[in-house]
Amino acid sequence: MDLGLNGRVALVLGAGGGLGGAIAHALAREGAHVAAADVDPASLAATVESITGKGGRALAVPMDLARPDMLQAGVVQIGKALGPVEILVNNSGGPPPTRAGGVDAGTWESHFRSMVVSLMSLTDLVLPAMQERRWGRIITSASSGVVSPIPNLGISNTLRMALVGWSKTLAAEVAPYGITANVIVPGRIATDRIRQLDEARARREGKEVEEIARLSTATIPMRRYGDPSEYADTVAFLASERASYTTGSVVRVDGGLIPSV
């Protein structure tokens, strides 16, 4: 299937990490020109080198979501090197495990700015060009916690839910311009983040991390953690011409983990 992504300019946040890196590679394989953004220069360079080494086109864009000035600078850099952003993949890092109660206001505010406000601001920076071209894709990676809240991930459950409401509202506003806005929800995908969460649970419960992984796997109907490439392939479809009538949706890639309809 031709996804119609050849030559499209895609900005992928968190491209130095497991999910973001896999997404950047998936879009590059389909011919997209990938602007890979991350706060970690070393991991960012590794992603770009891997993509270009396979014949793809990729640009390293240093970006710290906690710094609004870097968002503007990044969009300008991409515009000069590749052209206007046509596909935006909002993929931010996860906050530390916490309960919902007892978190001080400063912590809430800090994570709200980096996890929510920054993504909305960045989207606003690239939307005018999408509207002018009457084509665009805004894909926001969230967490299964927006459907079924995850114990001890109070900050993540709360703030990522805000992104779902924002994306759904935005989808209706930009649909007349041929722009789609969707949220994609990972289950337990085998990344460093999931490994860290398993380790944190193991410490809390006094168990070995391997036991925690076995217990987690037993709750997944497919009886395994997902591979980042499986998640990335779904993002690539949502970014494609083939998904032009899919908008305002929350798409699960979870191996059947989430029990609700």
Side-chain angles (χ1 to χ4, degrees):
M1 179 187 294
D2 179 8
L3 296 184
L5 292 177
N6 192 49
R8 294 287 188 187
V9 177
L11 170 54
V12 181
L13 304 187
L19 291 181
I23 292 167
H25 278 86
L27 293 174
R29 283 195 300 271
E30 294 296 328
H33 298 166
V34 177
D38 203 283
V39 70
D40 181 1
S43 61
L44 179 57
T47 295
V48 170
E49 182 179 351
S50 177
I51 290 174
T52 56
K54 297 172 183 175
R57 186 174 182 186
L59 172 73
V61 183
M63 191 174 288
D64 183 348
L65 294 179
R67 292 183 51 186
D69 60 311
M70 293 189 77
L71 306 184
Q72 176 72 54
V75 171
V76 171
Q77 178 189 355
I78 296 163
K80 291 179 178 178
L82 302 176
V85 173
E86 298 169 287
I87 299 163
L88 172 61
V89 181
N90 285 319
N91 173 52
S92 65
T98 64
R99 297 172 62 84
V103 178
D104 67 89
T107 299
W108 281 112
E109 291 168 358
S110 174
H111 286 295
F112 182 72
R113 285 194 298 272
S114 63
M115 291 178 59
V116 181
V117 175
S118 62
L119 301 187
M120 295 188 295
S121 298
L122 182 58
T123 302
D124 284 343
L125 288 173
V126 302
L127 263 178
M130 292 183 182
Q131 291 172 319
E132 182 179 348
R133 291 171 173 240
R134 304 192 74 81
W135 196 95
R137 301 288 185 265
I138 301 161
I139 303 164
T140 301
S141 182
S143 159
S144 62
V146 304
V147 181
S148 180
I150 303 169
N152 209 51
L153 287 185
I155 294 177
S156 177
N157 294 337
T158 303
L159 299 187
R160 295 195 195 279
M161 182 64 79
L163 290 171
V164 174
W166 163 76
S167 180
K168 180 66 174 179
T169 307
L170 181 67
E173 296 175 356
V174 301
Y177 297 94
I179 301 168
T180 66
N182 292 288
V183 172
I184 183 166
V185 172
R188 299 192 69 78
I189 309 294
T191 62
D192 288 342
R193 165 71 171 173
I194 290 299
R195 173 76 181 182
Q196 291 163 5
L197 292 176
D198 282 352
E199 289 172 348
R201 181 182 169 189
R203 288 192 296 271
R204 289 196 311 272
E205 299 182 8
K207 297 176 180 177
E208 296 295 325
V209 68
E210 291 77 13
E211 182 180 357
I212 295 299
R214 286 195 298 273
L215 291 172
S216 295
T217 300
T219 68
I220 303 170
M222 295 197 77
R223 294 297 188 266
R224 64 177 177 86
Y225 285 3
D227 188 274
S229 65
E230 294 174 302
Y231 189 73
D233 286 343
T234 305
V235 173
F237 173 74
L238 290 174
S240 75
E241 293 279 6
R242 308 286 79 79
S244 59
Y245 204 60
T246 302
T247 195
S249 296
V250 176
V251 179
R252 307 174 185 184
V253 185
D254 67 346
L257 170 66
I258 301 171
S260 60
V261 175

